mmCIF file of all heavy atoms in Angstrom:
data_model
loop_
_atom_site.group_PDB
_atom_site.id
_atom_site.type_symbol
_atom_site.label_atom_id
_atom_site.label_comp_id
_atom_site.label_asym_id
_atom_site.label_seq_id
_atom_site.Cartn_x
_atom_site.Cartn_y
_atom_site.Cartn_z
ATOM 1 N N ILE F 98 13.613 -28.160 -13.883
ATOM 2 C CA ILE F 98 14.914 -27.795 -14.448
ATOM 3 C C ILE F 98 15.165 -26.296 -14.260
ATOM 4 O O ILE F 98 16.266 -25.878 -13.894
ATOM 5 C CB ILE F 98 14.981 -28.171 -15.937
ATOM 6 C CG1 ILE F 98 15.034 -29.696 -16.093
ATOM 7 C CG2 ILE F 98 16.180 -27.527 -16.617
ATOM 8 C CD1 ILE F 98 14.952 -30.168 -17.524
ATOM 9 N N ARG F 99 14.127 -25.487 -14.515
ATOM 10 C CA ARG F 99 14.289 -24.046 -14.352
ATOM 11 C C ARG F 99 14.613 -23.673 -12.907
ATOM 12 O O ARG F 99 15.530 -22.878 -12.650
ATOM 13 C CB ARG F 99 13.013 -23.326 -14.798
ATOM 14 C CG ARG F 99 13.108 -21.811 -14.681
ATOM 15 C CD ARG F 99 11.857 -21.139 -15.175
ATOM 16 N NE ARG F 99 10.702 -21.519 -14.353
ATOM 17 C CZ ARG F 99 9.451 -21.085 -14.558
ATOM 18 N NH1 ARG F 99 9.213 -20.264 -15.577
ATOM 19 N NH2 ARG F 99 8.473 -21.467 -13.774
ATOM 20 N N ALA F 100 13.905 -24.269 -11.948
ATOM 21 C CA ALA F 100 14.154 -23.954 -10.541
ATOM 22 C C ALA F 100 15.545 -24.408 -10.102
ATOM 23 O O ALA F 100 16.269 -23.680 -9.403
ATOM 24 C CB ALA F 100 13.087 -24.617 -9.667
ATOM 25 N N THR F 101 15.931 -25.612 -10.529
ATOM 26 C CA THR F 101 17.255 -26.122 -10.154
ATOM 27 C C THR F 101 18.358 -25.288 -10.789
ATOM 28 O O THR F 101 19.381 -24.992 -10.157
ATOM 29 C CB THR F 101 17.394 -27.588 -10.580
ATOM 30 O OG1 THR F 101 16.339 -28.358 -9.993
ATOM 31 C CG2 THR F 101 18.728 -28.151 -10.130
ATOM 32 N N SER F 102 18.165 -24.891 -12.040
ATOM 33 C CA SER F 102 19.166 -24.068 -12.716
ATOM 34 C C SER F 102 19.336 -22.740 -12.001
ATOM 35 O O SER F 102 20.466 -22.270 -11.796
ATOM 36 C CB SER F 102 18.760 -23.819 -14.171
ATOM 37 O OG SER F 102 18.637 -25.045 -14.863
ATOM 38 N N LYS F 103 18.228 -22.121 -11.609
ATOM 39 C CA LYS F 103 18.320 -20.829 -10.916
ATOM 40 C C LYS F 103 19.065 -20.973 -9.596
ATOM 41 O O LYS F 103 19.919 -20.157 -9.244
ATOM 42 C CB LYS F 103 16.918 -20.275 -10.662
ATOM 43 C CG LYS F 103 16.918 -18.913 -9.979
ATOM 44 C CD LYS F 103 15.511 -18.407 -9.784
ATOM 45 C CE LYS F 103 15.547 -16.998 -9.164
ATOM 46 N NZ LYS F 103 16.260 -16.978 -7.886
ATOM 47 N N GLU F 104 18.754 -22.048 -8.863
ATOM 48 C CA GLU F 104 19.429 -22.257 -7.578
ATOM 49 C C GLU F 104 20.924 -22.484 -7.777
ATOM 50 O O GLU F 104 21.756 -21.944 -7.024
ATOM 51 C CB GLU F 104 18.808 -23.448 -6.853
ATOM 52 C CG GLU F 104 19.440 -23.728 -5.511
ATOM 53 C CD GLU F 104 18.787 -24.918 -4.819
ATOM 54 O OE1 GLU F 104 17.643 -25.251 -5.173
ATOM 55 O OE2 GLU F 104 19.434 -25.511 -3.938
ATOM 56 N N SER F 105 21.290 -23.262 -8.793
ATOM 57 C CA SER F 105 22.709 -23.520 -9.048
ATOM 58 C C SER F 105 23.425 -22.254 -9.477
ATOM 59 O O SER F 105 24.562 -21.994 -9.048
ATOM 60 C CB SER F 105 22.852 -24.597 -10.124
ATOM 61 O OG SER F 105 22.295 -25.826 -9.692
ATOM 62 N N ILE F 106 22.784 -21.450 -10.308
ATOM 63 C CA ILE F 106 23.407 -20.196 -10.755
ATOM 64 C C ILE F 106 23.578 -19.243 -9.584
ATOM 65 O O ILE F 106 24.610 -18.570 -9.457
ATOM 66 C CB ILE F 106 22.562 -19.563 -11.876
ATOM 67 C CG1 ILE F 106 22.653 -20.419 -13.143
ATOM 68 C CG2 ILE F 106 23.031 -18.139 -12.158
ATOM 69 C CD1 ILE F 106 21.734 -19.971 -14.250
ATOM 70 N N ASP F 107 22.584 -19.182 -8.701
ATOM 71 C CA ASP F 107 22.705 -18.324 -7.517
ATOM 72 C C ASP F 107 23.865 -18.772 -6.628
ATOM 73 O O ASP F 107 24.625 -17.935 -6.111
ATOM 74 C CB ASP F 107 21.397 -18.345 -6.719
ATOM 75 C CG ASP F 107 20.266 -17.614 -7.440
ATOM 76 O OD1 ASP F 107 20.567 -16.835 -8.361
ATOM 77 O OD2 ASP F 107 19.090 -17.851 -7.081
ATOM 78 N N GLY F 108 23.989 -20.088 -6.469
ATOM 79 C CA GLY F 108 25.102 -20.594 -5.668
ATOM 80 C C GLY F 108 26.445 -20.289 -6.308
ATOM 81 O O GLY F 108 27.402 -19.906 -5.627
ATOM 82 N N LEU F 109 26.521 -20.432 -7.640
ATOM 83 C CA LEU F 109 27.765 -20.120 -8.349
ATOM 84 C C LEU F 109 28.089 -18.638 -8.231
ATOM 85 O O LEU F 109 29.244 -18.260 -8.012
ATOM 86 C CB LEU F 109 27.622 -20.520 -9.815
ATOM 87 C CG LEU F 109 28.814 -20.187 -10.732
ATOM 88 C CD1 LEU F 109 30.063 -20.887 -10.253
ATOM 89 C CD2 LEU F 109 28.495 -20.572 -12.174
ATOM 90 N N ARG F 110 27.078 -17.783 -8.359
ATOM 91 C CA ARG F 110 27.313 -16.339 -8.253
ATOM 92 C C ARG F 110 27.832 -15.974 -6.864
ATOM 93 O O ARG F 110 28.722 -15.134 -6.719
ATOM 94 C CB ARG F 110 26.027 -15.585 -8.565
ATOM 95 C CG ARG F 110 26.201 -14.075 -8.571
ATOM 96 C CD ARG F 110 24.919 -13.362 -8.926
ATOM 97 N NE ARG F 110 24.519 -13.647 -10.305
ATOM 98 C CZ ARG F 110 23.429 -14.334 -10.651
ATOM 99 N NH1 ARG F 110 22.630 -14.823 -9.708
ATOM 100 N NH2 ARG F 110 23.141 -14.547 -11.916
ATOM 101 N N ALA F 111 27.264 -16.604 -5.834
ATOM 102 C CA ALA F 111 27.723 -16.314 -4.470
ATOM 103 C C ALA F 111 29.182 -16.709 -4.284
ATOM 104 O O ALA F 111 29.966 -15.981 -3.664
ATOM 105 C CB ALA F 111 26.840 -17.055 -3.460
ATOM 106 N N GLN F 112 29.583 -17.857 -4.839
ATOM 107 C CA GLN F 112 30.972 -18.281 -4.726
ATOM 108 C C GLN F 112 31.902 -17.354 -5.511
ATOM 109 O O GLN F 112 33.007 -17.026 -5.049
ATOM 110 C CB GLN F 112 31.123 -19.721 -5.237
ATOM 111 C CG GLN F 112 30.394 -20.758 -4.410
ATOM 112 C CD GLN F 112 30.955 -20.873 -3.007
ATOM 113 O OE1 GLN F 112 32.133 -20.612 -2.781
ATOM 114 N NE2 GLN F 112 30.122 -21.259 -2.063
ATOM 115 N N LEU F 113 31.479 -16.902 -6.674
ATOM 116 C CA LEU F 113 32.298 -15.982 -7.454
ATOM 117 C C LEU F 113 32.439 -14.638 -6.750
ATOM 118 O O LEU F 113 33.492 -13.996 -6.824
ATOM 119 C CB LEU F 113 31.684 -15.791 -8.846
ATOM 120 C CG LEU F 113 31.739 -17.016 -9.772
ATOM 121 C CD1 LEU F 113 31.051 -16.712 -11.095
ATOM 122 C CD2 LEU F 113 33.180 -17.442 -10.013
ATOM 123 N N ASP F 114 31.389 -14.197 -6.065
ATOM 124 C CA ASP F 114 31.494 -12.959 -5.288
ATOM 125 C C ASP F 114 32.548 -13.088 -4.205
ATOM 126 O O ASP F 114 33.304 -12.147 -3.926
ATOM 127 C CB ASP F 114 30.137 -12.607 -4.678
ATOM 128 C CG ASP F 114 29.139 -12.124 -5.726
ATOM 129 O OD1 ASP F 114 29.592 -11.729 -6.813
ATOM 130 O OD2 ASP F 114 27.924 -12.144 -5.448
ATOM 131 N N LEU F 115 32.605 -14.256 -3.580
ATOM 132 C CA LEU F 115 33.630 -14.484 -2.563
ATOM 133 C C LEU F 115 35.025 -14.452 -3.174
ATOM 134 O O LEU F 115 35.962 -13.883 -2.600
ATOM 135 C CB LEU F 115 33.393 -15.847 -1.885
ATOM 136 C CG LEU F 115 32.303 -15.904 -0.815
ATOM 137 C CD1 LEU F 115 32.122 -17.339 -0.349
ATOM 138 C CD2 LEU F 115 32.644 -15.018 0.361
ATOM 139 N N LEU F 116 35.175 -15.060 -4.345
ATOM 140 C CA LEU F 116 36.486 -15.064 -4.994
ATOM 141 C C LEU F 116 36.911 -13.653 -5.387
ATOM 142 O O LEU F 116 38.072 -13.277 -5.225
ATOM 143 C CB LEU F 116 36.438 -15.959 -6.239
ATOM 144 C CG LEU F 116 36.419 -17.472 -5.989
ATOM 145 C CD1 LEU F 116 36.183 -18.208 -7.291
ATOM 146 C CD2 LEU F 116 37.712 -17.926 -5.354
ATOM 147 N N ARG F 117 35.976 -12.875 -5.898
ATOM 148 C CA ARG F 117 36.317 -11.505 -6.285
ATOM 149 C C ARG F 117 36.689 -10.663 -5.081
ATOM 150 O O ARG F 117 37.555 -9.796 -5.164
ATOM 151 C CB ARG F 117 35.142 -10.866 -7.020
ATOM 152 C CG ARG F 117 34.838 -11.485 -8.375
ATOM 153 C CD ARG F 117 33.849 -10.648 -9.150
ATOM 154 N NE ARG F 117 33.440 -11.316 -10.393
ATOM 155 C CZ ARG F 117 32.311 -11.960 -10.537
ATOM 156 N NH1 ARG F 117 31.457 -12.056 -9.527
ATOM 157 N NH2 ARG F 117 32.013 -12.535 -11.686
ATOM 158 N N ALA F 118 36.011 -10.886 -3.949
ATOM 159 C CA ALA F 118 36.297 -10.106 -2.748
ATOM 160 C C ALA F 118 37.682 -10.416 -2.206
ATOM 161 O O ALA F 118 38.276 -9.606 -1.497
ATOM 162 C CB ALA F 118 35.238 -10.359 -1.681
ATOM 163 N N GLY F 119 38.219 -11.595 -2.518
ATOM 164 C CA GLY F 119 39.587 -11.933 -2.125
ATOM 165 C C GLY F 119 39.806 -12.038 -0.639
ATOM 166 O O GLY F 119 40.897 -11.828 -0.138
ATOM 167 N N GLY F 120 38.787 -12.348 0.155
ATOM 168 C CA GLY F 120 38.958 -12.525 1.591
ATOM 169 C C GLY F 120 39.055 -11.233 2.364
ATOM 170 O O GLY F 120 39.523 -11.219 3.497
ATOM 171 N N THR F 121 38.622 -10.079 1.768
ATOM 172 C CA THR F 121 38.674 -8.820 2.487
ATOM 173 C C THR F 121 37.511 -8.716 3.448
ATOM 174 O O THR F 121 36.614 -9.550 3.479
ATOM 175 C CB THR F 121 38.634 -7.655 1.483
ATOM 176 O OG1 THR F 121 37.370 -7.689 0.788
ATOM 177 C CG2 THR F 121 39.755 -7.782 0.470
ATOM 178 N N ASP F 122 37.508 -7.622 4.222
ATOM 179 C CA ASP F 122 36.433 -7.412 5.176
ATOM 180 C C ASP F 122 35.100 -7.187 4.485
ATOM 181 O O ASP F 122 34.037 -7.360 5.093
ATOM 182 C CB ASP F 122 36.749 -6.211 6.080
ATOM 183 C CG ASP F 122 37.953 -6.477 6.965
ATOM 184 O OD1 ASP F 122 38.242 -7.666 7.193
ATOM 185 O OD2 ASP F 122 38.599 -5.508 7.411
ATOM 186 N N ASP F 123 35.143 -6.766 3.193
ATOM 187 C CA ASP F 123 33.913 -6.516 2.457
ATOM 188 C C ASP F 123 33.368 -7.766 1.788
ATOM 189 O O ASP F 123 32.356 -7.710 1.088
ATOM 190 C CB ASP F 123 34.150 -5.448 1.379
ATOM 191 C CG ASP F 123 34.543 -4.109 1.996
ATOM 192 O OD1 ASP F 123 34.101 -3.844 3.130
ATOM 193 O OD2 ASP F 123 35.280 -3.345 1.346
ATOM 194 N N ALA F 124 34.041 -8.896 1.994
ATOM 195 C CA ALA F 124 33.600 -10.130 1.355
ATOM 196 C C ALA F 124 32.241 -10.536 1.892
ATOM 197 O O ALA F 124 31.996 -10.495 3.096
ATOM 198 C CB ALA F 124 34.612 -11.260 1.606
ATOM 199 N N PRO F 125 31.313 -10.936 1.007
ATOM 200 C CA PRO F 125 30.007 -11.383 1.487
ATOM 201 C C PRO F 125 30.135 -12.683 2.245
ATOM 202 O O PRO F 125 31.036 -13.480 2.008
ATOM 203 C CB PRO F 125 29.211 -11.560 0.179
ATOM 204 C CG PRO F 125 30.255 -11.831 -0.866
ATOM 205 C CD PRO F 125 31.453 -11.025 -0.450
ATOM 206 N N LEU F 126 29.224 -12.899 3.151
ATOM 207 C CA LEU F 126 29.240 -14.137 3.915
ATOM 208 C C LEU F 126 28.884 -15.299 3.004
ATOM 209 O O LEU F 126 27.957 -15.221 2.193
ATOM 210 C CB LEU F 126 28.247 -14.060 5.079
ATOM 211 C CG LEU F 126 28.567 -13.027 6.163
ATOM 212 C CD1 LEU F 126 27.459 -13.011 7.208
ATOM 213 C CD2 LEU F 126 29.902 -13.322 6.813
ATOM 214 N N ARG F 127 29.631 -16.382 3.122
ATOM 215 C CA ARG F 127 29.347 -17.563 2.310
ATOM 216 C C ARG F 127 28.018 -18.173 2.744
ATOM 217 O O ARG F 127 27.820 -18.453 3.926
ATOM 218 C CB ARG F 127 30.479 -18.585 2.496
ATOM 219 C CG ARG F 127 30.316 -19.817 1.630
ATOM 220 C CD ARG F 127 31.639 -20.557 1.533
ATOM 221 N NE ARG F 127 32.184 -20.895 2.814
ATOM 222 C CZ ARG F 127 31.935 -22.043 3.451
ATOM 223 N NH1 ARG F 127 31.118 -22.926 2.904
ATOM 224 N NH2 ARG F 127 32.485 -22.295 4.615
ATOM 225 N N PRO F 128 27.074 -18.335 1.796
ATOM 226 C CA PRO F 128 25.763 -18.857 2.181
ATOM 227 C C PRO F 128 25.898 -20.243 2.766
ATOM 228 O O PRO F 128 26.569 -21.116 2.223
ATOM 229 C CB PRO F 128 24.989 -18.860 0.860
ATOM 230 C CG PRO F 128 26.040 -18.885 -0.209
ATOM 231 C CD PRO F 128 27.203 -18.125 0.352
ATOM 232 N N ARG F 129 25.241 -20.461 3.877
ATOM 233 C CA ARG F 129 25.293 -21.749 4.559
ATOM 234 C C ARG F 129 23.963 -22.478 4.387
ATOM 235 O O ARG F 129 22.895 -21.881 4.467
ATOM 236 C CB ARG F 129 25.579 -21.572 6.053
ATOM 237 C CG ARG F 129 27.013 -21.153 6.362
ATOM 238 C CD ARG F 129 27.217 -21.095 7.868
ATOM 239 N NE ARG F 129 28.583 -20.755 8.233
ATOM 240 C CZ ARG F 129 29.571 -21.635 8.380
ATOM 241 N NH1 ARG F 129 29.323 -22.920 8.161
ATOM 242 N NH2 ARG F 129 30.783 -21.254 8.713
ATOM 243 N N SER F 130 24.074 -23.764 4.137
ATOM 244 C CA SER F 130 22.902 -24.629 4.112
ATOM 245 C C SER F 130 22.969 -25.536 5.323
ATOM 246 O O SER F 130 24.034 -25.730 5.918
ATOM 247 C CB SER F 130 22.865 -25.449 2.822
ATOM 248 O OG SER F 130 22.845 -24.598 1.682
ATOM 249 N N GLY F 131 21.820 -26.093 5.682
ATOM 250 C CA GLY F 131 21.772 -26.969 6.839
ATOM 251 C C GLY F 131 20.670 -27.999 6.697
ATOM 252 O O GLY F 131 19.967 -28.056 5.674
ATOM 253 N N LEU F 132 20.511 -28.808 7.713
ATOM 254 C CA LEU F 132 19.508 -29.862 7.665
ATOM 255 C C LEU F 132 18.097 -29.309 7.543
ATOM 256 O O LEU F 132 17.185 -30.033 7.126
ATOM 257 C CB LEU F 132 19.627 -30.743 8.911
ATOM 258 C CG LEU F 132 20.900 -31.607 8.986
ATOM 259 C CD1 LEU F 132 20.939 -32.370 10.298
ATOM 260 C CD2 LEU F 132 20.966 -32.575 7.806
ATOM 261 N N ALA F 133 17.907 -28.036 7.897
ATOM 262 C CA ALA F 133 16.587 -27.429 7.719
ATOM 263 C C ALA F 133 16.213 -27.336 6.244
ATOM 264 O O ALA F 133 15.029 -27.213 5.900
ATOM 265 C CB ALA F 133 16.567 -26.041 8.354
ATOM 266 N N ASP F 134 17.225 -27.382 5.347
ATOM 267 C CA ASP F 134 16.963 -27.341 3.908
ATOM 268 C C ASP F 134 16.791 -28.726 3.308
ATOM 269 O O ASP F 134 16.654 -28.855 2.082
ATOM 270 C CB ASP F 134 18.126 -26.636 3.195
ATOM 271 C CG ASP F 134 18.370 -25.239 3.734
ATOM 272 O OD1 ASP F 134 17.400 -24.481 3.834
ATOM 273 O OD2 ASP F 134 19.535 -24.917 4.065
ATOM 274 N N ALA F 135 16.809 -29.752 4.133
ATOM 275 C CA ALA F 135 16.739 -31.120 3.620
ATOM 276 C C ALA F 135 15.410 -31.388 2.909
ATOM 277 O O ALA F 135 15.366 -32.171 1.945
ATOM 278 C CB ALA F 135 16.938 -32.123 4.753
ATOM 279 N N GLU F 136 14.324 -30.763 3.365
ATOM 280 C CA GLU F 136 13.015 -31.015 2.751
ATOM 281 C C GLU F 136 13.003 -30.627 1.278
ATOM 282 O O GLU F 136 12.514 -31.377 0.427
ATOM 283 C CB GLU F 136 11.940 -30.245 3.507
ATOM 284 C CG GLU F 136 10.533 -30.489 2.973
ATOM 285 C CD GLU F 136 9.476 -29.738 3.757
ATOM 286 O OE1 GLU F 136 9.827 -29.141 4.794
ATOM 287 O OE2 GLU F 136 8.316 -29.748 3.323
ATOM 288 N N VAL F 137 13.576 -29.444 0.960
ATOM 289 C CA VAL F 137 13.633 -29.013 -0.435
ATOM 290 C C VAL F 137 14.529 -29.949 -1.243
ATOM 291 O O VAL F 137 14.208 -30.326 -2.383
ATOM 292 C CB VAL F 137 14.166 -27.568 -0.508
ATOM 293 C CG1 VAL F 137 14.333 -27.133 -1.957
ATOM 294 C CG2 VAL F 137 13.239 -26.620 0.228
ATOM 295 N N LEU F 138 15.639 -30.373 -0.642
ATOM 296 C CA LEU F 138 16.560 -31.285 -1.325
ATOM 297 C C LEU F 138 15.874 -32.609 -1.635
ATOM 298 O O LEU F 138 15.945 -33.118 -2.768
ATOM 299 C CB LEU F 138 17.787 -31.513 -0.449
ATOM 300 C CG LEU F 138 18.776 -32.577 -0.908
ATOM 301 C CD1 LEU F 138 19.418 -32.186 -2.235
ATOM 302 C CD2 LEU F 138 19.850 -32.797 0.158
ATOM 303 N N VAL F 139 15.180 -33.161 -0.653
ATOM 304 C CA VAL F 139 14.531 -34.462 -0.846
ATOM 305 C C VAL F 139 13.418 -34.357 -1.873
ATOM 306 O O VAL F 139 13.221 -35.266 -2.707
ATOM 307 C CB VAL F 139 14.002 -34.976 0.506
ATOM 308 C CG1 VAL F 139 13.115 -36.196 0.290
ATOM 309 C CG2 VAL F 139 15.162 -35.318 1.435
ATOM 310 N N ARG F 140 12.686 -33.245 -1.843
ATOM 311 C CA ARG F 140 11.602 -33.066 -2.820
ATOM 312 C C ARG F 140 12.161 -33.070 -4.236
ATOM 313 O O ARG F 140 11.567 -33.634 -5.161
ATOM 314 C CB ARG F 140 10.880 -31.754 -2.535
ATOM 315 C CG ARG F 140 9.612 -31.574 -3.380
ATOM 316 C CD ARG F 140 8.999 -30.206 -3.187
ATOM 317 N NE ARG F 140 8.867 -29.899 -1.771
ATOM 318 C CZ ARG F 140 9.302 -28.788 -1.219
ATOM 319 N NH1 ARG F 140 9.931 -27.874 -1.966
ATOM 320 N NH2 ARG F 140 9.136 -28.546 0.067
ATOM 321 N N ARG F 141 13.312 -32.442 -4.414
ATOM 322 C CA ARG F 141 13.924 -32.395 -5.736
ATOM 323 C C ARG F 141 14.371 -33.788 -6.180
ATOM 324 O O ARG F 141 14.226 -34.163 -7.345
ATOM 325 C CB ARG F 141 15.110 -31.436 -5.711
ATOM 326 C CG ARG F 141 15.672 -31.107 -7.070
ATOM 327 C CD ARG F 141 16.859 -30.171 -6.954
ATOM 328 N NE ARG F 141 16.493 -28.953 -6.271
ATOM 329 C CZ ARG F 141 17.110 -28.478 -5.196
ATOM 330 N NH1 ARG F 141 18.147 -29.141 -4.710
ATOM 331 N NH2 ARG F 141 16.720 -27.367 -4.626
ATOM 332 N N ILE F 142 14.919 -34.573 -5.253
ATOM 333 C CA ILE F 142 15.356 -35.935 -5.595
ATOM 334 C C ILE F 142 14.149 -36.809 -5.931
ATOM 335 O O ILE F 142 14.174 -37.614 -6.875
ATOM 336 C CB ILE F 142 16.157 -36.540 -4.428
ATOM 337 C CG1 ILE F 142 17.436 -35.734 -4.178
ATOM 338 C CG2 ILE F 142 16.509 -37.991 -4.711
ATOM 339 C CD1 ILE F 142 18.405 -35.718 -5.331
ATOM 340 N N ARG F 143 13.082 -36.653 -5.178
ATOM 341 C CA ARG F 143 11.865 -37.433 -5.462
ATOM 342 C C ARG F 143 11.309 -37.097 -6.829
ATOM 343 O O ARG F 143 10.840 -37.993 -7.554
ATOM 344 C CB ARG F 143 10.825 -37.149 -4.390
ATOM 345 C CG ARG F 143 11.105 -37.825 -3.052
ATOM 346 C CD ARG F 143 10.153 -37.330 -1.997
ATOM 347 N NE ARG F 143 10.348 -38.030 -0.710
ATOM 348 C CZ ARG F 143 9.844 -37.612 0.437
ATOM 349 N NH1 ARG F 143 9.135 -36.470 0.484
ATOM 350 N NH2 ARG F 143 10.060 -38.304 1.538
#
């Protein structure tokens, strides 16, 4: 629960940073996930 909560909060913070930046050139890059992260996802589901 602690690990999942931290990951969700980090993802929420990244999205809020994008909203605050308002699409300017200083906006942080939106974190991308991919199939390489599937192992961590599956482990959590298991």
Side-chain angles (χ1 to χ4, degrees):
I98 290 174
R99 181 178 63 180
T101 303
S102 300
K103 182 179 183 302
E104 180 180 339
S105 297
I106 291 173
D107 290 343
L109 177 60
R110 184 178 294 114
Q112 295 295 332
L113 291 178
D114 288 341
L115 281 175
L116 286 172
R117 293 191 186 101
T121 64
D122 294 337
D123 297 330
L126 295 177
R127 183 162 55 91
R129 288 184 178 273
S130 301
L132 291 177
D134 303 310
E136 182 179 353
V137 176
L138 172 64
V139 170
R140 188 186 311 129
R141 191 181 302 125
I142 297 298
R143 285 171 177 166

